[in-house]
């Protein structure tokens, strides 16, 4: 969507060191993040950084692009942000995977097991393999750039989080 010319939007970007206790002076109603869950041990610091930068007087929006690597650990971010910040997460349709954060890579989820066993990616130009059967050797030694990109896209999702601040 393009904003009309009579609307002023302030955009600010900052480098935030998650482990730092220092707060920024500004608060934000929209926070964008991409590929932030690569180190699950930093999730508490990420949650605290988000909390410190939220505008306390409005509905806040988090936009998170997620590249799943260790879903069983990375799901903790979504659970903790829900529990600690009251975030309500919704998946934004961006690709072929429509699994919720609760389901993605969860071995107890029938829909996740179906996604990983039925979604097939070409490996080596002539063999279709289920995501669950693709090995590290396939990724490193057999996939073309196009095949690798298709494989990567199978693990990327975008979520929209809404936080309603208490009055």
């Amino acid at each position: 969507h393009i904003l009309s010319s009579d609307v002023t939007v302030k955009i600010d970007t900052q480098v935030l060191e998650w482990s730092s206790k220092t707060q920024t002076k500004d608060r934000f109603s929209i926070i964008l993040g991409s590929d932030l869950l690569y180190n699950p041990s930093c999730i508490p610091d990420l949650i605290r950084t988000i909390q410190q930068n939220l505008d306390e007087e409005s509905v806040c929006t988090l936009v998170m692009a997620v590249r799943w690597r260790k879903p069983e650990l990375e799901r903790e971010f979504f659970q903790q942000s829900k529990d600690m910040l009251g975030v309500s997460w919704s998946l934004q349709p961006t690709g072929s995977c429509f699994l919720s954060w609760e389901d993605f890579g969860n071995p107890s989820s029938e829909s996740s097991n179906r996604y990983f066993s039925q979604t097939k990616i070409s490996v080596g130009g002539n063999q279709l393999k289920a995501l669950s059967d693709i090995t590290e050797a396939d990724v490193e030694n057999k996939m073309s750039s196009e095949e690798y990109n298709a494989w990567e896209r199978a693990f990327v999702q975008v979520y929209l989080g809404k936080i309603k601040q208490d009055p």
Side-chain angles (χ1 to χ4, degrees):
H1 297 269
I2 298 175
L3 298 174
S4 66
S5 60
D6 61 340
V7 174
T8 303
V9 176
K10 178 187 172 196
I11 297 176
D12 187 19
T13 61
Q14 298 179 28
V15 174
L16 298 174
E17 198 169 313
W18 301 348
S19 60
S20 172
K21 304 279 191 246
T22 307
Q23 294 184 4
T24 62
K25 62 181 187 265
D26 295 320
R27 298 283 188 249
F28 304 96
S29 59
I30 299 174
I31 296 178
L32 305 174
S34 178
D35 199 17
L36 300 177
L37 305 180
Y38 54 87
N39 185 352
S41 68
C42 294
I43 288 173
D45 292 330
L46 174 58
I47 298 281
R48 186 180 62 251
T49 300
I50 291 170
Q51 186 173 33
Q52 289 174 345
N53 288 281
L54 290 174
D55 183 343
E56 297 171 352
E57 297 182 17
S58 68
V59 173
C60 295
T61 302
L62 302 176
V63 181
M64 294 286 295
V66 178
R67 185 348 184 143
W68 295 98
R69 291 177 181 82
K70 299 175 184 171
E72 66 282 357
L73 300 174
E74 295 158 339
R75 279 193 302 274
E76 276 302 306
F77 167 77
F78 292 96
Q79 188 63 56
Q80 287 182 30
S81 64
K82 178 182 173 186
D83 294 344
M84 297 170 67
L85 303 175
V87 180
S88 173
W89 291 104
S90 62
L91 176 66
Q92 300 305 292
T94 58
S96 61
C97 181
F98 297 100
L99 295 172
S100 69
W101 65 267
E102 294 102 336
D103 288 327
F104 195 98
N106 184 342
S108 301
S109 166
E110 186 177 315
S111 57
S112 179
N113 293 333
R114 190 171 40 257
Y115 175 73
F116 283 94
S117 65
Q118 294 179 3
T119 302
K120 304 206 186 267
I121 303 287
S122 178
V123 176
N126 58 4
Q127 180 184 13
L128 283 177
K129 285 183 116 176
L131 289 176
S132 58
D133 295 333
I134 294 175
T135 65
E136 193 172 320
D138 290 331
V139 174
E140 293 177 358
N141 304 320
K142 296 178 183 174
M143 286 185 171
S144 67
S145 293
E146 186 177 301
E147 292 168 336
Y148 177 81
N149 289 336
W151 178 76
E152 274 288 310
R153 282 191 303 274
F155 292 90
V156 174
Q157 293 183 303
V158 176
Y159 288 91
L160 187 66
K162 293 285 188 182
I163 305 171
K164 214 178 217 181
Q165 302 296 346
D166 292 328

